[in-house]
Amino acid sequence: MSNPVFFTPAGSLSHVTPGAVFVLEGAEARHAVTVKRLAVGESVDIADGAGARLTGTVADVAPGALTVTATDVVFEAQPDVRLVLVQALAKGDRDELAIETATELGIDAVVPWQSERSIVRWKAERAAKAHAKWESVVTAAAKQARRAWIPPVRPIVDSSGLAKAVAGADLAIILHEDAKNPLREVLETLDVDGASPSEVLLIVGPEGGISPREVTRLSDAGAVTALLGHHVLRSSTAGPAAVVLASDVLGRW
């Protein structure tokens, strides 16, 4: 069984070497000691959310501190082709379910999208609170999946902002039930100036679907449409399904 993972601030493992002692403090340490009840001698991983991972043995426990003796410290590079889920806001926490599952499956970044048909709206004070909630969901999912990277939750975009992101992306794919080309086929023929792109946007609409006007706008900006299958998936499942397929086709798994 893999070791439990606890997060420490980015960069805090940069000077740790095998044999050194690292002290994890704060909420993560309290969770490790009070909730997980880790004991001296148990194995544990500590990651900084930016690729660094310390594997070690618990040397001491205290109410607000977990002392670990490092046996190995490695840096896990990001994949050559990074996947970004552009998830439209959806009701009933379906958008949060989507980003949670996608994070467990290996998504590299998340973009909240205020689409035309999104019933949920992030406005004023709610926007900051909702964004923080997405970050919390992603962090918890990364911990569950024992990841060394915590996918960033980028600033929310409207359809105009998304069109700009599409124009600057290596490849942007709209997951759409009326598309003609299967997603696998789009990914297998992937080629940008003779080389694989470094970032692929996977765009998922809300429960009411992406409006024709938005499809046109995003297509004009350079996006392509792709079909996942013959069945219509919920907003909460389309993104994760696409991550699975893309990870296999692109050799990430």
Side-chain angles (χ1 to χ4, degrees), residues 160-222:
S160 176
L162 180 54
K164 293 179 181 178
V166 166
D170 297 300
L171 178 66
I173 303 173
I174 305 169
L175 302 176
H176 200 280
E177 61 184 291
D178 293 332
K180 303 301 181 184
N181 297 321
L183 177 59
R184 175 178 292 277
E185 182 178 299
V186 172
L187 292 168
E188 286 178 341
T189 59
L190 195 57
D191 187 66
V192 177
D193 295 330
S196 296
S198 60
E199 190 168 277
V200 174
L201 304 185
L202 300 171
I203 304 171
V204 178
E207 54 270 38
I210 303 175
S211 73
R213 179 168 59 180
E214 286 175 319
V215 172
T216 298
R217 186 173 193 175
L218 297 177
S219 297
D220 288 344

Side-chain angles (χ1 to χ4, degrees), residues 19-189:
V21 172
F22 181 83
V23 180
L24 179 69
E25 298 178 309
E28 285 289 89
R30 289 191 292 273
H31 185 255
V33 175
T34 305
V35 179
K36 291 294 186 180
R37 298 185 180 277
L38 292 184
V40 173
E42 292 192 73
S43 296
V44 65
D45 282 6
I46 298 176
D48 73 349
R53 182 192 299 269
L54 177 159
T55 297
T57 304
V58 177
D60 188 34
V61 295
L66 182 75
T67 302
V68 179
T69 300
T71 56
D72 194 19
V73 181
V74 298
F75 180 80
E76 299 178 9
Q78 289 186 308
D80 293 334
V81 181
R82 294 183 294 278
L83 299 176
V84 178
L85 175 61
V86 178
Q87 177 64 49
L89 304 187
K91 65 180 181 179
D93 297 333
R94 287 177 180 167
D95 47 13
E96 293 178 9
L97 178 59
I99 64 172
E100 177 184 53
T101 309
T103 298
E104 293 176 7
L105 293 168
I107 201 72
D108 299 299
V110 172
V111 179
W113 172 30
Q114 186 76 71
S115 69
E116 291 181 3
R117 292 179 174 174
S118 289
I119 296 174
V120 175
R121 296 282 160 178
W122 286 11
K123 294 182 179 180
E125 295 180 358
R126 181 178 181 181
K129 185 177 180 180
H131 190 274
K133 178 66 181 299
W134 275 38
E135 290 181 320
S136 177
V137 168
V138 165
T139 299
K143 180 187 290 189
Q144 168 65 34
R146 274 63 164 179
R147 295 185 59 173
W149 286 91
I150 300 175
V153 178
R154 296 176 182 175
I156 188 170
V157 295
D158 56 15
S159 294
S160 176
L162 180 54
K164 293 179 181 178
V166 166
D170 297 300
L171 178 66
I173 303 173
I174 305 169
L175 302 176
H176 200 280
E177 61 184 291
D178 293 332
K180 303 301 181 184
N181 297 321
L183 177 59
R184 175 178 292 277
E185 182 178 299
V186 172
L187 292 168
E188 286 178 341
T189 59

